[in-house]
Amino acid sequence: MGDKKHTLTLTDNATGKAIELPVRYGTEGPPAVDIGPLYRDFGYFTYDPGFVSTGSCRSAITFIDGDQGVLLYRGYPIEQLAEKSTFLEVAYLLLYGELPSQDQLDGFTNVIVRHTMINESLKSFYQGFYHDAHPMATMVGVVGSLSAFYHDSTDIRNPQHREIAAHRLIAKMPTIAGASYKHSIGEPFVYPKNSLSYAGNFLRMMFAVPSEEYVVDPVAEKALDLIFILHADHEQNASTSTVRLAGSSGANPFACIASGIAALWGPAHGGANEAVLRMLAQIGDVKHIPQYLAKAKDKNDPFRLMGFGHRVYKNYDPRARIIRKMCHEVLEKVGDQHDPLFELALRLEELALKDDYFIERKLYPNVDFYSGLIYKALGIPTNMFTVMFAIARTVGWVAQWMEMIGEPDQKIGRPRQIYDGPAARDYLPIRRRKSAPHGAGTADLNGEARNTD
Ligand code: SDX
């Protein structure tokens, strides 16, 4: 797409040999040098831990301009979708590439609604978990187990199977999440009620009890639908890259999404929303902020300012801006508008954004900084925060997986490495071995980090 005849020449100063590498262009964003021929024609690998400068694929789904704080879903600015769209309409857009007509949206909604139930025998699956199992742990297990039930949608080379699996995953995530929560509090599961909206159905499966009528709060329903829109997709983040890599081996879609849930759980990624609330509770009072900012800046202190910083955004995360504004509205209507944690978050943000350490490193609040405060105001417990992220991101994971599987030149992902281990050596009979310290380059028994270059 837009590839002009442009190359980059790489010269090996040791041999004087040079290689010309093609430059690839997309619709938006920086050009990329195609290093595919590098090892075959020039004998070198590239090295980019964390893929800071490395593109893993071409994609037409989402675009981020980290310097400008821009986020587009299929070209539409997140601010406009947040204001005018709904989560299921955004799901259609991400999956199929265009905003749906009313008929298309009605048809899509009807399909999703028809797949919200889970196999009844999954209820006994939940009984195998301790009641205090983290809901993200049950989500990984239950979603991964779906391939044991749906043999009719795991032929990934069949586009109809891919579409059925996509619809099932999007439809069932709220039901699985609601059941994970109910299991953790010892309450009976609540079946989906298909006359409700996607967000409304989820709220009911979380909070309804058999002994009372449950009425969905429209403020909570709208806030949740908006939060789902904001979390739906985000280019090749860690969990999406995990889903793509798992899918590149031909693994079934349920296993791929389970791998995405597992990757999302990390506190550096989707687990940050839960970590932000725990951090705010740990800071406790505005007067403690300076000491925690000092900890965040201290290289010898593992403390990080959770909800701050981003690999791509070197400006305000546009989602954080939208959520921050919504926080005020939600706390005013359903939560405690004087929630001390919200006041603390506002003050922490204000002081961090004035601090040279954060300014120099372009560290701004990200999507996770405020989302937990809204979840808390909606009565969602902290250990369900990342589950909320997983419900929404399933749409992006599925869209990215479908795009990857549908690529004509799709191949298994298999990165290379720089080898730091011992050179080839012969086996030593045990009688001739001495007790040697654990090898350099490995984590020793007390988990010290491996040596680096
Ligand atoms: C998400 O990729 C995505 O798109 C993710 C996501 C999505 O929608 O999928 O947007 C969702 O995961 C948001 C991020 C949530 N995580 C957190 O809020 C955890 C706290 N943030 C950091 O762990 C960190 O900022 C990362 C992991 C988000 C980004 O890490 P990078 O890009 O590897 O940056 P880095 O660690 O190299 O940091 C650069 C510098 C370092 O200092 P120096 O070595 O240059 O002196 O900034 C410092 C870091 O120490 N730094 C922080 C910091 N984040 C970075 N210092 C204190 N507190 C922080 N939060």
Side-chain angles (χ1 to χ4, degrees), residues 64 233-234 237-239 264 267-270 272 276 296-297 299 303-314 317 319 357-358 361 363 366-368 389 393:
I64 301 170
D233 194 50
H234 213 237
N237 57 83
S239 53
L264 183 74
H269 188 15
V276 166
K297 298 187 282 189
K299 292 300 166 223
F303 178 82
R304 275 278 210 274
L305 207 55
M306 301 315 280
F308 254 77
H310 198 277
R311 170 62 57 75
V312 176
Y313 288 122
K314 301 308 170 191
D317 181 335
R319 303 167 296 174
Y357 173 93
F358 293 88
R361 291 165 179 80
L363 301 176
N366 59 50
V367 68
D368 293 306
F389 199 146
R393 187 52 58 87

Side-chain angles (χ1 to χ4, degrees), residues 203-239:
L203 285 167
R204 183 174 171 279
M205 289 188 280
M206 279 280 289
F207 298 120
V209 287
S211 47
E212 288 170 21
E213 273 310 302
Y214 180 80
V215 177
V216 176
D217 178 328
V219 174
E221 182 181 27
K222 182 174 181 303
L224 208 47
D225 195 76
L226 172 54
I227 286 193
F228 284 159
I229 289 174
L230 298 176
H231 286 80
D233 194 50
H234 213 237
E235 286 193 1
Q236 306 311 316
N237 57 83
S239 53

